[in-house]
Amino acid sequence: SKEEEEGAFKAKYLNNDLLETPELALAAAWQEVLRLGEIAGDMVRRSVDVFGTDAEDAREWMRARAQEIDWLSNDLRGYYIRLSQKNLGLMQSREKQGHMSIVDDIRQFADYLGDEVVDRATNLAEQNADFSEQGRMELEEYRDFTVELHMRTMVAMRERDQEIADAVRQMKDDGEDHERRLRSSHLVRLDAGVSETIATSTAHMDLLSGFRQIGRHHFRICRMLNDFLKVPQRRTNPVEEPAESKEAA
């Protein structure tokens, strides 16, 4: 039932009693954000598995995880809104905004995997179409790169480590190189008239673009993480000259 599903997808760490102590409330909410990231990471790992005539179980699993992330994102959003009504310091307010941005990025790429990718996979299965062996291997290669990107992002988030977050952002060029190379390889097979490639070309190209976009979400997450972890520099007043030196001048 819907009630049972909502119970299974219920937030584990959010506690309204903590809202009176913003520091504790933010720490609890961050644990929920990390949980959200772990679920989304599992979705990325299984993103290619949803394609195939015998992959209905994987597609159902992916839809359920996307729904779970939707519900948890809504729970988090409501919690942050209630937290906003408390007396937050400047750094706490910045962190809350950063959390909300990260949650939205995770929700967006999870929705893409659970909706667009599953719909595309369902359509191909109904047409009894599947990727060529080489095509699937290349999609799995880009998937593996994206999984690595996600794992490093999760380490940066768990450790709250700005250096790791910066290192993740340096992977952007590698990701784009992956896409260009794999897109060219697909076009070679298309020109050669490989039947599976012709039947699945749109889905293949869309998934390559999708992995690139998932990468962009991770780069944005790392940038936002650095933004709220960064300690603002204090402004110092210019040093005034001693009165004696002014008179001497």
Side-chain angles (χ1 to χ4, degrees):
S1 69
K2 183 177 180 182
E3 290 77 13
E4 288 173 338
E5 286 181 332
E6 289 178 349
F9 298 161
K10 190 175 178 61
K12 291 182 178 179
Y13 301 103
L14 304 184
N15 183 344
N16 287 329
D17 293 340
L18 297 178
L19 291 171
E20 298 303 325
T21 312
E23 183 178 357
L24 296 180
L26 282 169
W30 189 239
Q31 291 304 307
E32 204 68 58
V33 176
L34 292 175
R35 180 180 170 220
L36 205 68
E38 294 292 352
I39 297 167
D42 288 339
M43 294 178 72
V44 176
R45 287 181 187 90
R46 297 192 65 179
S47 53
V48 181
D49 300 345
V50 300
F51 290 91
T53 54
D54 57 350
E56 183 55 37
D57 285 350
R59 291 191 285 273
E60 285 300 323
W61 180 91
M62 192 72 79
R63 289 188 191 99
R65 297 291 76 71
Q67 184 65 72
E68 182 176 9
I69 284 182
D70 259 356
W71 278 329
L72 291 176
S73 297
N74 286 335
D75 284 349
L76 275 162
R77 192 175 300 109
Y79 195 74
Y80 289 127
I81 289 170
R82 292 192 294 278
L83 183 58
S84 297
Q85 298 164 1
K86 307 301 177 181
N87 187 23
L88 301 183
L90 176 61
M91 292 296 291
Q92 291 171 337
S93 182
R94 276 178 53 185
E95 177 158 355
K96 175 189 66 67
Q97 290 299 110
H99 286 201
M100 293 180 75
S101 177
I102 289 170
V103 167
D104 195 54
D105 272 302
I106 294 173
R107 181 194 59 77
Q108 285 185 51
F109 77 76
D111 277 351
Y112 162 73
L113 291 171
D115 292 338
E116 289 183 42
V117 171
V118 168
D119 286 348
R120 181 74 73 183
T122 301
N123 289 337
L124 287 183
E126 289 172 351
Q127 297 166 28
N128 204 31
D130 199 358
F131 302 118
S132 67
E133 183 178 353
Q134 184 65 29
R136 183 176 283 270
M137 284 176 57
E138 290 178 0
L139 289 171
E140 289 172 347
E141 178 189 334
Y142 202 2
R143 185 269 321 274
D144 290 347
F145 174 84
T146 308
V147 167
E148 179 68 21
L149 191 64
H150 181 82
M151 289 172 63
R152 294 188 187 189
T153 299
M154 290 300 299
V155 171
M157 290 170 63
R158 275 193 297 271
E159 302 293 330
R160 297 170 72 89
D161 191 306
Q162 292 177 266
E163 289 188 6
I164 297 174
D166 280 336
V168 170
R169 294 174 68 188
Q170 297 303 313
M171 295 171 70
K172 182 178 179 181
D173 288 346
D174 286 346
E176 292 182 352
D177 287 345
H178 259 80
E179 187 200 8
R180 279 192 294 270
R181 178 171 53 79
L182 298 179
R183 193 175 286 270
S184 295
S185 179
H186 173 78
L187 293 175
V188 168
R189 289 192 301 278
L190 199 61
D191 287 345
V194 177
S195 58
E196 297 97 333
T197 303
I198 294 169
T200 61
S201 182
T202 301
H204 189 107
M205 298 291 257
D206 283 353
L207 196 52
L208 290 178
S209 297
F211 283 136
R212 180 191 64 206
Q213 187 58 40
I214 291 171
R216 288 175 176 173
H217 284 296
H218 284 81
F219 303 139
R220 198 155 53 215
I221 286 169
C222 286
R223 186 182 69 232
M224 186 55 61
L225 181 66
N226 273 354
D227 283 350
F228 74 73
L229 290 178
K230 196 179 299 176
V231 178
Q233 298 295 315
R234 288 188 174 183
R235 295 182 63 183
T236 55
N237 294 323
V239 178
E240 293 187 5
E241 294 181 32
E244 296 82 2
S245 64
K246 285 183 180 177
E247 290 171 2

